[in-house]
């Protein structure tokens, strides 16, 4: 049905496949929803000039992560800022198999399907991904998105005694939830930390009565 | 879609290769196995599998947390599996249903390994096959755990099986693998020094790897301290020889018999049980006691000997079992809570000591670790949140920042350690790792002055939590200086007491107009009765304000506070004594409920109570009402509007 609504552009088949997954509605039962937790490592924070260097993603279903159901790709980018090397450790020269941005997008879309996308400070990763899609003449991602930074705040008790922070970093969450910070600042490593934090947040929210998808997105 | 190797499977492999039988696998096979792992999160108390359930496609390895294996029928604890332990494998190999229930003892992360992927390795690796056969035959979770203790538990000295009561003496002994030995010519001073350093009570004297004698604490006391031999004597002068040796396979009961028979406190275990094969370990009376029962003295010793915070977790499980036993046997709660508090305090002290060792430098100035809230009042029987603070000696202004940073770092270590052994982080961050709760003496003084001088609702709440502080570790004069200061500041301060009293009266009422229980109207505990907020807190808060108004320090326990008040105010004696009784009854009630549901016991489902229990509960409510009336009149709370 969606296909007929398109005005003029004929999107490539991989996009159509991805888009058609959204014909199926999301399930209401949180246990049955497939979440894809994602992290991108980029050359910087400028949506215009900076680029993704790697994407890591894994799937969470019913409190479980299957090691096999994950992806980690390194992108061949013309734009490259040396100042970021220290943080991310992705050296341009390093012997990694690199693929083009378009290939990465194809793999990611196939992996995503209509899953709910989860990321820490999700707006950033989402925008980076959408900018990449735009460069290749594709529409924005259609997935529902959850941000662990926002969700975490919902788990905190409302008490005048607790001074909430405005921003909680992934390091803060790892400390709170006692998650090892090994592989921090690699895309899949960060995605894994985010995924564990997400599962723990979800379990705390469920105790607070957030038991359905509707309540989770409220 | 991609190569199997990725950051996650590598991470899993890194973990697995530290534990048998995975340490036997080639890197390539280990990675292949790891890439098939499912990482599963289990909330506290959630069931991994039930008895009689048909086997899953996976078996499990504990990555983080702990899993309790229980026989469902009699609720006997078979084992507590923690990091690196395997469970749920045997039914899969034997193709039968689970025999026991596996439940997350705390929030846990498990690795689920598909049996289909694992089975071929069990066939192709002889070592893995052996591991499985031995593990099934001996019915232990991990038959190598003793031999591999060095790698499994670090420099652990004794085993701590959670299964002792079930197997009643027939389990193999968990002897100390770490043999401390010397030669017959070593001098006594050297021996004593080594024994002190290694914290052992006995030393084997070896010649060519074979045990020729043994020296225990007693020998040094009886033969050196008495002057029988000079301090310059050699090991061979005072050692008991020949050594009585036993096979390493002996059971606990056999070991007990052997010790009784020869009236000795240490057994030397050798490869085949004769002195002609190498010694493999030493079994002390202490090790045996540890296996045989949960008694406070043994547990305290075990706590003090712990070198790794992680190991305290198992001891804490046994403290809980001890508590359960006390409650079942109806031991008076005053005694029970004294003992349990003592044990909990010992755990906290040990965590502090171990954390201090991890710090690169010694504390720059004297400090004390304070427990607040229920732990401070010695009313914490079950695990609850941590509420703690640090107070340190005043330093020159230019050193304040670096000193504070040191103690914040220490506090981070300690709170992490406490969390590891079962104390949840405080959701309101009232912990010493929060700069607000880590201050110098004058820092605390100005904080306390602020609370007392500006008694708004938040300040009253904060001071009521903080004023129950109790020194858990460290410098006593610092703590008492602060207590003195609080008394000085509050003396005759009617305005402060008025607000504190008002706070004490603000807890919601336990019963409604028709004397029915009032239950929570919404939230996760809808229709439950909140025994803490509606019954215990009114008593605790009232006791605090009354005791403070009498300028009494150093009594923190609520029941004891009421007993003291009964002495100070003979006219109200009856009321105070029934308050003291009510506090104990409610605490016991809460603890029993907590043990039943393995939570804090705070929320009670009323329909699970017997008629008698309900009547008992209601009787305490009458006392609470009378007490609140007294507080209202005495501090003239009605004069305060709003």
């Amino acid at each position: 049905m969606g296909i007929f609504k398109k005005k003029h552009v004929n999107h490539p088949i991989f996009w159509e496949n991805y888009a058609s997954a959204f014909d199926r509605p999301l399930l209401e039962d949180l246990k049955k929803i497939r979440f894809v937790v994602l992290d991108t490592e980029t050359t910087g924070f400028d949506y215009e000039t900076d680029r993704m260097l790697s994407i890591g993603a894994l799937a969470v279903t019913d409190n479980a992560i299957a090691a096999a159901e994950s992806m980690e790709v390194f992108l061949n980018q013309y734009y490259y800022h040396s100042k970021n090397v220290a943080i991310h450790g992705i050296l341009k020269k390093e012997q990694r198999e690199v693929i083009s941005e378009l290939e990465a997008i194809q793999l990611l879309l196939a992996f995503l399907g209509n899953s709910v996308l989860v990321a820490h400070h999700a707006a950033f990763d989402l925008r980076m991904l959408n900018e990449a899609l735009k460069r290749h003449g594709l529409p924005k991602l259609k997935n529902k998105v959850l941000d662990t930074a926002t969700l975490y705040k919902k788990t905190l008790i409302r008490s005048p005694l607790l001074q909430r922070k405005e921003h909680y970093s992934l390091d803060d969450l790892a400390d709170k939830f006692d998650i090892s910070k090994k592989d921090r600042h690699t895309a899949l490593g960060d995605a894994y930390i985010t995924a564990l934090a997400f599962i723990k947040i979800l379990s705390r929210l469920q105790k607070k009565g957030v038991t359905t998808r509707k309540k989770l997105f409220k | 879609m991609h190569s199997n190797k990725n950051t996650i499977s590598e991470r899993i492999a890194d973990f697995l290769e530290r534990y048998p039988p995975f340490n036997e696998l080639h890197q390539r096979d280990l990675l292949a196995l790891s890439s098939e792992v499912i990482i599963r999160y289990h909330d506290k108390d959630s069931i991994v599998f039930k008895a009689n359930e048909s086997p899953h496609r996976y078996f499990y390895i504990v990555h983080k947390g702990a899993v309790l294996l229980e026989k469902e029928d009699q609720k006997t604890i078979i084992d507590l599996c923690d990091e690196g332990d395997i469970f749920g494998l045997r039914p899969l190999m034997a193709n039968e249903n689970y025999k026991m229930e596996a439940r997350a003892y705390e929030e846990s992360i498990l690795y689920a390994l598909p049996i289909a992927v694992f089975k071929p390795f069990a066939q192709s690796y002889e070592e893995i096959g052996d591991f499985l056969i031995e593990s099934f035959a001996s019915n232990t979770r991990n038959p190598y755990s003793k031999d591999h203790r060095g790698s499994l538990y670090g420099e652990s000295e004794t085993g701590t099986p959670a299964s002792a009561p079930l197997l009643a003496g027939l389990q193999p002994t968990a002897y100390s693998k770490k043999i401390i030995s010397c030669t017959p010519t070593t001098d006594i001073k050297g021996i004593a020094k080594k024994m002190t350093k290694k914290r052992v009570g006995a030393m084997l004297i070896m010649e060519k790897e074979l045990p020729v004698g043994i020296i225990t604490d007693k020998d040094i006391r009886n033969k050196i301290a008495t002057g029988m031999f000079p301090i310059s004597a050699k090991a061979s002068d005072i050692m008991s020889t020949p050594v009585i040796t036993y096979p390493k396979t002996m059971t606990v009961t056999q070991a007990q018999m052997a010790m009784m028979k020869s009236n000795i406190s240490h057994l030397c275990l050798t490869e085949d049980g004769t002195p002609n094969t190498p010694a493999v370990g030493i079994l002390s009376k202490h090790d045996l006691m540890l296996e045989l029962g949960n008694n406070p003295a043994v547990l305290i010793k075990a706590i003090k000997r712990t070198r790794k915070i992680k190991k305290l977790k198992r001891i804490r499980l046994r403290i809980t079992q001890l508590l359960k036993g006390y409650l079942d046997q109806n031991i008076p709660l005053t005694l029970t809570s004294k003992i349990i508090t003592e044990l909990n305090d010992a755990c906290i002290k040990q965590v502090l000591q171990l954390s201090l060792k991890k710090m690169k430098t010694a504390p720059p100035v004297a400090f004390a670790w304070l427990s607040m809230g229920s732990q401070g009042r010695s009313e914490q029987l079950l695990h609850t949140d941590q509420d703690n603070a640090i107070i340190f000696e005043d330093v020159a202004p230019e050193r304040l920042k670096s000193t504070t940073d040191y103690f914040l770092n220490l506090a981070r270590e300690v709170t992490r350690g406490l969390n590891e052994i079962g104390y949840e982080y405080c959701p309101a961050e009232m912990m010493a790792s929060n700069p607000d709760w880590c201050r110098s003496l004058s820092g605390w003084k100005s904080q306390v002055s602020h609370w007392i001088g500006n008694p708004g609702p938040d300040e009253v709440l904060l001071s009521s939590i903080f004023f129950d502080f109790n020194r858990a570790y460290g410098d006593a004069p610092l703590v008492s200086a602060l207590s003195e200061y609080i008394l000085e500041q509050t003396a005759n301060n009617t305005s402060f007491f008025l607000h504190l009293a008002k706070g004490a009266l603000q807890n919601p009422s336990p019963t409604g107009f028709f004397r029915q229980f009032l239950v929570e109207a919404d939230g996760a505990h809808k229709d439950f009765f909140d025994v803490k907020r509606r019954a215990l807190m009114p008593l605790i808060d009232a006791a605090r304000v009354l005791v403070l108004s009498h300028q009494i320090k150093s009594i923190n326990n609520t029941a004891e506070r009421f007993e003291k008040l009964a002495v100070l105010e003979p006219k109200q004696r009856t009321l105070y004594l029934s308050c003291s009784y009510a506090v104990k009854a409610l605490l016991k009630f809460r603890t029993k409920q907590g043990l039943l549901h393995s939570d804090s016991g705070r929320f009670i489902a009323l329909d699970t109570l017997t008629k008698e229990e309900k009547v008992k509960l209601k009787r305490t409510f009458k006392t609470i009402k009378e007490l609140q009336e007294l507080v209202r009149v005495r501090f003239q709370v009605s004069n305060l509007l709003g």
Side-chain angles (χ1 to χ4, degrees):
Chain A
M1 199 167 64
I3 299 167
F4 301 114
K5 278 189 185 165
K6 299 276 178 295
K7 282 172 217 140
H8 51 281
V9 206
N10 269 332
H11 291 304
I13 184 77
F14 68 83
W15 178 269
E16 298 300 346
N17 284 341
Y18 162 72
S20 68
F22 291 85
D23 295 343
R24 295 190 303 274
L26 267 180
L27 295 162
E28 195 54 40
D29 185 356
L30 288 182
K31 278 197 159 85
K32 292 190 178 140
I33 297 180
R34 181 175 185 267
F35 298 93
V36 167
V37 187
L38 171 145
D39 183 66
T40 60
E41 300 297 318
T42 63
T43 55
F45 299 106
D46 190 311
Y47 297 122
E48 301 269 314
T49 61
D50 282 307
R51 295 289 187 267
M52 292 185 290
L53 287 171
S54 71
I55 304 172
L58 49 86
V60 172
T61 315
D62 187 18
N63 283 341
I65 303 163
E69 207 182 333
S70 61
M71 65 173 279
E72 184 172 35
V73 291
F74 299 89
L75 281 66
N76 187 10
Q77 293 291 8
Y78 176 74
Y79 293 91
Y80 194 78
H81 295 193
S82 58
K83 59 179 179 177
N84 261 297
V85 174
I87 303 184
H88 301 311
I90 304 167
L91 268 172
K92 209 176 179 184
K93 272 179 251 156
E94 205 183 327
Q95 296 291 317
R96 294 266 197 189
E97 191 193 332
V98 287
I99 59 175
S100 72
E101 196 171 75
L102 187 61
E103 284 174 292
I105 287 172
Q106 290 189 38
L107 288 172
L108 180 67
L109 292 179
F111 187 73
L112 269 178
N114 71 341
S115 306
V116 174
L117 204 149
V118 180
H120 195 72
H121 295 136
F124 174 76
D125 299 278
L126 192 67
R127 177 85 187 269
M128 273 293 171
L129 288 167
N130 282 334
E131 290 291 331
L133 289 168
K134 198 162 95 187
R135 279 193 290 278
H136 297 281
L138 295 166
K140 289 180 177 177
L141 285 177
K142 298 163 75 78
N143 304 70
K144 289 225 173 248
V145 180
L146 287 170
D147 184 345
T148 39
T150 319
L151 284 181
Y152 174 67
K153 283 196 200 169
K154 289 192 192 170
T155 68
L156 298 175
I157 53 162
R158 278 176 209 286
S159 159
L161 311 182
L162 176 66
Q163 293 163 359
R164 290 178 189 219
K165 282 209 250 177
E166 197 52 46
H167 296 289
Y168 287 92
S169 68
L170 192 54
D171 285 314
D172 287 335
L173 262 59
D175 288 339
K176 299 280 175 213
F177 293 127
D178 191 25
I179 301 168
S180 150
K181 284 187 239 176
K182 206 176 157 199
D183 304 319
R184 179 89 173 85
H185 298 303
T186 69
L188 192 54
D190 279 359
Y192 180 67
I193 296 171
T194 311
L196 284 184
F198 172 66
I199 291 174
K200 292 187 177 201
I201 288 170
L202 213 54
S203 133
R204 281 156 181 75
L205 286 177
Q206 279 170 340
K207 281 180 204 153
K208 289 193 161 195
V210 181
T211 45
T212 60
R213 182 172 60 86
K214 276 204 187 93
K215 286 181 181 163
L216 185 63
F217 281 97
K218 206 160 68 177
Chain B
M1 165 166 47
H2 306 279
S3 66
N4 284 334
K5 189 169 158 287
N6 66 39
T7 314
I8 294 175
S9 56
E10 275 173 31
R11 203 169 159 147
I12 295 168
D14 284 349
F15 176 81
L16 288 180
E17 74 178 353
R18 284 158 40 203
Y19 299 98
F22 306 105
N23 54 353
E24 306 284 357
L25 289 168
H26 296 304
Q27 195 62 24
R28 162 177 41 88
D29 293 337
L30 185 63
L31 269 172
L33 204 61
S34 301
S35 64
E36 299 294 330
V37 163
I38 313 261
I39 301 159
R40 284 208 61 94
Y41 168 86
H42 273 272
D43 204 358
K44 181 176 185 297
D45 286 327
S46 64
I47 306 284
V48 184
F49 52 73
K50 284 195 160 137
N52 300 321
E53 192 175 310
S54 54
H56 297 176
R57 281 169 44 229
Y58 313 92
F59 65 98
Y60 301 91
I61 301 116
V62 182
H63 171 58
K64 272 236 150 110
V67 170
L68 209 53
L69 301 181
E70 281 179 327
K71 284 238 162 137
E72 212 180 14
D73 43 350
Q74 64 249 63
K75 278 280 171 200
T76 336
I77 294 168
I78 306 287
D79 207 348
L80 181 71
C81 300
D82 62 19
E83 281 169 37
D85 289 339
I86 294 178
F87 67 95
L89 174 57
R90 195 224 294 251
L92 272 57
M93 295 302 268
N95 229 335
E96 59 190 25
N97 288 352
Y98 292 110
K99 287 221 165 74
M100 47 190 105
E101 176 183 292
R103 180 163 58 82
Y105 178 66
E106 54 192 57
E107 188 176 51
S108 303
I109 293 170
L110 309 179
Y111 287 169
L113 242 169
I115 187 68
V117 183
F118 180 74
K119 228 171 184 166
F121 292 116
Q123 280 145 8
S124 62
Y125 278 86
E126 203 181 313
E127 298 88 346
I128 293 187
D130 289 349
F131 174 89
L132 296 178
I133 292 165
E134 245 198 88
S135 125
F136 298 160
S138 61
N139 202 9
T140 58
R141 147 175 49 86
N142 183 346
Y144 291 0
S145 59
K146 275 177 284 189
D147 295 351
H148 284 255
R149 187 159 291 140
S151 55
L152 270 180
Y153 301 113
E155 76 273 57
S156 124
E157 288 160 3
T158 51
T160 49
S163 53
L166 175 81
L167 297 165
L170 294 177
Q171 73 275 39
T173 58
Y175 53 85
S176 170
K177 270 289 294 172
K178 194 175 70 173
I179 299 177
I180 311 298
S181 71
C182 65
T183 64
T185 54
T186 317
D187 65 357
I188 301 302
K189 204 170 163 187
I191 291 175
K193 271 188 180 161
K194 199 167 175 186
M195 283 168 69
T196 309
K197 189 172 162 226
K198 302 283 184 184
R199 294 165 174 268
V200 292
M203 168 101 94
L204 267 187
I205 316 300
M206 307 256 254
E207 217 168 15
K208 291 175 196 138
E209 309 243 323
L210 299 181
V212 295
I214 189 167
I215 291 178
T216 66
D217 282 343
K218 212 169 158 187
D219 293 317
I220 294 174
R221 186 175 74 223
N222 292 351
K223 297 177 187 165
I224 304 293
T226 56
M228 194 193 294
F229 287 92
I231 187 83
S232 56
K234 300 266 172 278
S236 54
D237 296 331
I238 68 161
M239 69 188 186
S240 309
T241 184
V243 189
I244 305 173
T245 56
Y246 288 92
K248 62 174 179 181
T249 51
M250 78 188 317
T251 65
V252 169
T253 314
Q254 284 169 328
Q256 260 186 310
M257 300 288 286
M259 283 187 191
M260 279 186 339
K261 206 172 80 189
S262 325
N263 193 23
I264 49 177
S265 57
H266 292 80
L267 299 181
C268 174
L269 306 179
T270 64
E271 205 56 60
D272 72 353
T274 72
N276 306 319
T277 50
V280 292
I282 279 200
L283 178 72
S284 68
K285 215 175 221 169
H286 167 83
D287 296 340
L288 267 188
M289 296 253 290
L290 214 53
E291 289 198 42
L292 278 172
N294 298 327
N295 82 58
V298 169
L299 287 174
I300 287 269
K301 260 196 185 168
I303 292 167
K304 287 187 178 160
R305 286 175 65 146
T306 308
R307 299 271 76 92
K308 290 221 161 140
I309 290 174
K310 204 181 120 184
K311 292 205 74 198
L312 284 170
K313 195 152 79 181
R314 272 162 189 263
I315 300 178
R316 301 252 313 152
L317 173 70
R318 294 164 64 194
I319 296 176
T320 311
Q321 288 176 320
L322 182 72
L323 172 63
K324 208 170 162 192
Y326 283 172
L327 290 175
D328 286 347
Q329 291 162 39
N330 239 336
I331 310 268
L333 193 83
T334 323
L335 183 65
T336 306
S337 65
K338 274 236 163 68
I339 292 170
I340 301 296
T341 305
E342 200 70 38
L343 288 168
N344 283 340
D345 279 353
C347 285
I348 295 176
K349 271 198 187 95
Q350 195 65 12
V351 169
L352 260 148
Q353 251 152 10
L354 295 175
S355 304
L356 276 169
K357 265 193 199 146
K358 280 192 202 160
M359 300 295 288
K360 284 196 189 76
T361 54
V365 288
F367 79 101
W369 182 270
L370 306 177
S371 296
M372 305 185 294
S374 61
Q375 179 75 19
R377 288 189 304 271
S378 309
E379 284 160 12
Q380 188 180 61
L381 296 177
L382 298 164
H383 307 191
T384 52
D385 297 343
Q386 14 179 323
D387 296 311
N388 44 47
I390 278 182
I391 175 171
F392 56 87
E393 210 177 324
D394 284 326
V395 292
E398 65 273 16
R399 279 179 59 212
L400 184 61
K401 167 104 179 47
S402 65
T403 312
T404 310
D405 286 347
Y406 177 91
F407 287 114
L408 283 172
N409 281 329
L410 174 67
R412 271 191 280 273
E413 274 305 326
V414 177
T415 49
R416 198 186 308 134
L418 289 173
N419 181 255
E420 198 172 343
I421 66 168
Y423 289 98
E424 297 287 327
Y425 289 126
C426 170
E429 307 233 355
M430 278 181 245
M431 296 187 288
S433 50
N434 176 346
D436 287 345
W437 299 93
C438 180
R439 293 169 187 268
S440 66
L441 177 58
S442 35
W444 274 119
K445 281 183 177 170
S446 63
Q447 178 67 69
V448 163
S449 300
H450 172 76
W451 287 337
I452 294 173
N454 307 277
D458 293 352
E459 287 76 10
V460 165
L461 182 55
L462 287 164
S463 41
S464 60
I465 293 164
F466 183 71
F467 287 2
D468 290 339
F469 65 77
N470 193 12
R471 182 179 66 100
Y473 183 89
D475 192 60
L478 265 178
V479 181
S480 100
L482 185 59
S483 305
E484 297 283 359
Y485 183 78
I486 291 176
L487 288 187
E488 261 169 48
Q489 292 293 302
T490 53
N492 305 316
N493 188 335
T494 29
S495 150
F496 177 70
F497 280 116
L498 175 60
H499 283 88
L500 202 60
K502 186 182 164 226
L505 295 173
Q506 260 169 357
N507 292 294
S509 168
T511 46
F513 186 74
F514 298 106
R515 292 198 64 220
Q516 82 280 26
F517 284 93
L518 286 178
V519 292
E520 303 313 296
D522 51 24
H525 300 284
K526 192 172 180 304
D527 296 332
F528 281 77
F529 180 73
D530 184 344
V531 70
K532 178 182 171 188
R533 219 159 55 102
R534 290 184 187 269
L536 274 163
M537 287 319 285
L539 288 161
I540 292 167
D541 287 343
R544 182 185 309 109
V545 63
L546 287 164
V547 151
L548 263 180
S549 73
H550 278 287
Q551 293 273 302
I552 295 183
K553 65 165 188 170
S554 75
I555 300 180
N556 277 0
N557 184 272
T558 304
E560 285 175 21
R561 279 176 170 172
F562 280 121
E563 278 151 34
K564 181 76 186 175
L565 286 167
V567 175
L568 290 171
E569 300 177 30
K571 271 189 193 160
Q572 303 293 347
R573 189 182 141 82
T574 328
L575 173 60
Y576 287 142
L577 287 183
S578 51
C579 286
S580 169
Y581 174 80
V583 172
K584 286 189 259 185
L586 287 165
L587 263 182
K588 194 167 184 173
F589 198 76
R590 176 178 175 185
T591 310
K592 275 190 170 170
Q593 286 284 322
L595 282 172
L596 206 60
H597 307 295
S598 66
D599 57 16
S600 73
R602 173 173 174 176
F603 295 98
I604 296 171
L606 286 172
D607 47 9
T608 65
L609 299 186
T610 63
K611 175 105 183 128
E612 192 197 339
E613 285 172 320
K614 279 189 194 165
V615 170
K616 245 189 185 169
L617 253 185
K618 278 195 178 164
R619 206 177 299 148
T620 66
F621 299 161
K622 205 174 144 250
T623 311
I624 294 172
K625 280 222 163 104
E626 284 176 43
L627 177 70
Q628 290 191 324
E629 201 43 48
L630 179 138
V631 169
R632 199 185 316 274
V633 173
R634 176 162 309 173
F635 299 99
Q636 301 182 332
V637 177
S638 44
N639 292 353
L640 187 76
L641 294 173

